[in-house]
Amino acid sequence: QVHLVESGGGLVQPGGSLRLSCAASGTIFSINAMGWYRQAPGKQRELVASITSGGNTNHADSVKGRFTISRDDAKNTVYLQMNSLKPEDTAVYYCNYFVPYSRATYWGQGTQVTVSS
């Protein structure tokens, strides 16, 4: 089992920045992928960004150039630096942990990000 704890959400004005953190604990697999998804009211959950244990990253087109995903394997933590935030970035952001060989997927509890003036 992998337990994920997110932090860093909140209310920010348009153009502002936030950094989300997600710490994993429990059974940590050496080969994994961690990522951030978001779900706005009335919309489906969508991938924001992901990063593999090898360091390969993927960012959704809607956040490229504004958001950056990174990880610290010594801390089993993944980060999402969000800059130039827009009202349409408002959503609940969920941390995801994926184990390729078993296809097991784990989710955090979610953290609210609200971009509003």
Side-chain angles (χ1 to χ4, degrees):
Q1 277 283 27
V2 177
H3 184 55
L4 303 172
V5 177
E6 300 133 333
S7 60
L11 172 65
V12 64
Q13 292 187 340
S17 298
L18 283 175
R19 189 175 83 151
L20 305 182
S21 300
C22 173
S25 61
T27 303
I28 303 300
F29 298 87
S30 59
I31 299 176
N32 61 74
M34 297 184 75
W36 292 94
Y37 288 70
R38 66 186 181 187
Q39 187 167 19
K43 294 188 176 181
Q44 289 189 329
R45 190 173 296 189
E46 62 176 0
L47 174 67
V48 177
S50 64
I51 183 167
T52 69
S53 48
N56 294 316
T57 62
N58 178 43
H59 295 78
D61 288 343
S62 59
V63 306
K64 280 181 181 177
R66 300 188 298 122
F67 293 10
T68 303
I69 191 169
S70 61
R71 60 190 289 163
D72 183 340
D73 288 336
K75 298 181 180 180
N76 295 317
T77 299
V78 64
Y79 305 96
L80 185 68
Q81 178 66 45
M82 304 186 294
N83 299 328
S84 302
L85 282 159
K86 304 175 181 180
E88 51 263 44
D89 295 318
T90 295
V92 178
Y93 284 69
Y94 295 92
C95 179
N96 173 268
Y97 187 103
F98 178 69
V99 184
Y101 92 93
S102 66
R103 304 197 66 80
T105 300
Y106 303 91
W107 293 95
Q109 80 283 359
T111 185
Q112 177 71 46
V113 171
T114 302
V115 185
S116 175
S117 55

